Amino acid sequence: MQRKRTIAVLMTLLLAGAAFGQQTSVDYDHKADFSRYKTYAWAQGHPVQDPFNHQRIVTAIDAQLAAKGWKRIEPGQKPDAIVLYRAAAAERKQANVWGTGYGPAWRLGGGSARVDVDTIQVGQLVVDIMDAASRKLIWRGRASDTLSDKPEKNEKKINKAAEKLFKKFPPAEN
């Protein structure tokens, strides 16, 4: 009975790990008038250490904001909004359960099971947009996904995350 319970718990972990894909969420100040924001400038957040991925993130966000009609202005000019991002990576454990057994033998505890635990890297990106005059946060988007050892895969994930985050940007007026 204890073995069945252990296998059930491990299967739950396996399914939870398999279901983990790119996650995004957005929140914003419902009182903010997004129609008055047309220009933005970048501020220092907590960027990734890798300069290539830093540039990929900035480029992806710039592209999404430009598609929404926002214009990035040069330093020294007065923007309507300030954009910054924070990025971090963490390790997550993923259990993979392999079982053998068939029919009644499996239900009665026959067969065997093996559990492999893998460590995967998960990255999180948080994008903040603030009113430049008041420095009040008006919009926040979060995205998380597993990281790859291949830069081109990470670039695709960054672009996909930016697309998902800014899909309904600016928020519709209430």
Side-chain angles (χ1 to χ4, degrees):
M1 190 62 153
Q2 180 65 24
R3 183 176 176 174
K4 282 185 179 181
R5 204 171 300 147
T6 301
I7 291 172
V9 168
L10 293 173
M11 289 299 285
T12 302
L13 288 172
L14 170 67
L15 292 174
F20 184 78
Q22 190 172 74
Q23 307 272 325
T24 60
S25 66
V26 171
D27 197 5
Y28 63 95
D29 180 350
H30 292 266
K31 295 177 184 173
D33 178 8
F34 283 86
S35 66
R36 68 182 204 89
Y37 300 101
K38 301 292 181 205
T39 62
Y40 70 98
W42 279 94
Q44 181 73 26
H46 183 48
V48 294
Q49 296 299 313
D50 179 352
F52 296 117
N53 280 328
H54 169 72
Q55 191 56 50
R56 289 176 181 122
I57 291 169
V58 170
T59 300
I61 294 169
D62 280 343
Q64 292 302 313
L65 289 172
K68 303 298 182 171
W70 284 38
K71 182 180 178 199
R72 180 177 175 174
I73 63 169
E74 299 301 318
Q77 296 178 319
K78 187 175 178 183
D80 300 323
I82 302 291
V83 177
L84 61 93
Y85 83 88
R86 295 184 306 280
E91 291 183 350
R92 177 170 277 156
K93 301 292 183 189
Q94 177 175 308
N96 297 308
V97 180
W98 308 94
T100 62
Y102 182 76
W106 178 255
R107 287 191 294 269
L108 297 174
S112 63
R114 184 179 95 207
V115 178
D116 294 330
V117 178
D118 295 323
T119 301
I120 56 174
Q121 289 287 321
V122 178
Q124 183 172 30
L125 173 67
V126 177
V127 181
D128 285 341
I129 300 178
M130 299 179 294
D131 180 275
S134 68
R135 299 288 183 177
K136 181 180 174 187
L137 182 66
I138 58 170
W139 185 92
R140 173 172 283 167
R142 296 177 187 261
S144 64
D145 200 353
T146 56
L147 299 176
S148 174
D149 293 335
K150 298 179 180 176
E152 55 278 352
K153 282 189 177 183
N154 287 331
E155 183 172 14
K156 286 181 182 177
K157 289 180 180 203
I158 289 167
N159 289 331
K160 181 179 175 185
E163 288 173 19
K164 288 172 78 173
L165 288 175
F166 288 93
K167 184 176 183 176
K168 294 182 180 179
F169 183 89
E173 296 198 26
N174 296 331

